[in-house]
Amino acid sequence: MAITLVDPAGLPAVDAYRQVSVATGSKLVFVAGQVAWDGDGATVGEGDLAAQVEQCYLNVGTALSGVGASFSDVAKLTVHVVDWSPEKMPLLMEGIGRAAARLGTVPVPPATLIGCAALDVPEHLVEVEATAVID
């Protein structure tokens, strides 16, 4: 495994992610921002943040699998949420939890959450991009 996740002393431990990842692999994998599209390009969960988060994470998992990687190889996630406010955190965590159950893994690499005004189309509420390292 090319990624080791760490919460260094002096930084808070956060349930949703680890503070640092150490990569030892030799190939970088950059996954484009994934939105809540199914395999045919139809939006999943219109108006439902948790459903869209779940689909985004599943799409990241599919993209990683397509190049022989998995969430255990992810060094960094970036999550963009339309009109973010802290009140949306339970829905975000619900979607991540549902995706984790379906993927059979808990995706906790270092992550950045960015609130944004809009994404590519009005019905998309979230976009998730990933950087992974594989041997």
Side-chain angles (χ1 to χ4, degrees):
M1 191 171 311
I3 303 295
T4 302
L5 301 176
V6 181
D7 280 324
L11 294 176
V14 179
D15 290 338
Y17 61 89
R18 300 300 171 261
Q19 296 286 357
V20 176
S21 64
V22 179
T24 58
S26 59
K27 295 179 186 176
L28 294 176
V29 177
F30 299 95
V31 178
Q34 297 298 305
V35 293
W37 280 331
D38 64 14
D40 295 322
T43 298
V44 172
E46 191 166 338
D48 183 341
L49 180 61
Q52 288 202 14
V53 169
E54 178 182 10
Q55 187 64 45
C56 290
Y57 273 75
L58 294 174
N59 289 349
V60 169
T62 298
L64 292 166
S65 178
V67 295
S70 71
F71 267 99
S72 64
D73 300 306
V74 174
K76 176 77 168 67
L77 289 172
T78 303
V79 180
H80 301 266
V81 181
V82 174
D83 296 326
W84 174 256
S85 66
E87 294 79 25
K88 293 182 179 181
M89 185 61 81
L91 293 171
L92 179 77
M93 297 308 295
E94 178 185 336
I96 292 170
R98 291 185 343 209
R102 290 180 64 186
L103 292 165
T105 186
V106 179
V108 292
T112 299
L113 190 149
I114 300 170
C116 60
L119 293 170
D120 59 328
V121 295
E123 56 268 19
H124 289 158
L125 304 175
V126 63
E127 184 169 331
V128 179
E129 63 181 80
T131 302
V133 181
I134 57 178
D135 291 319

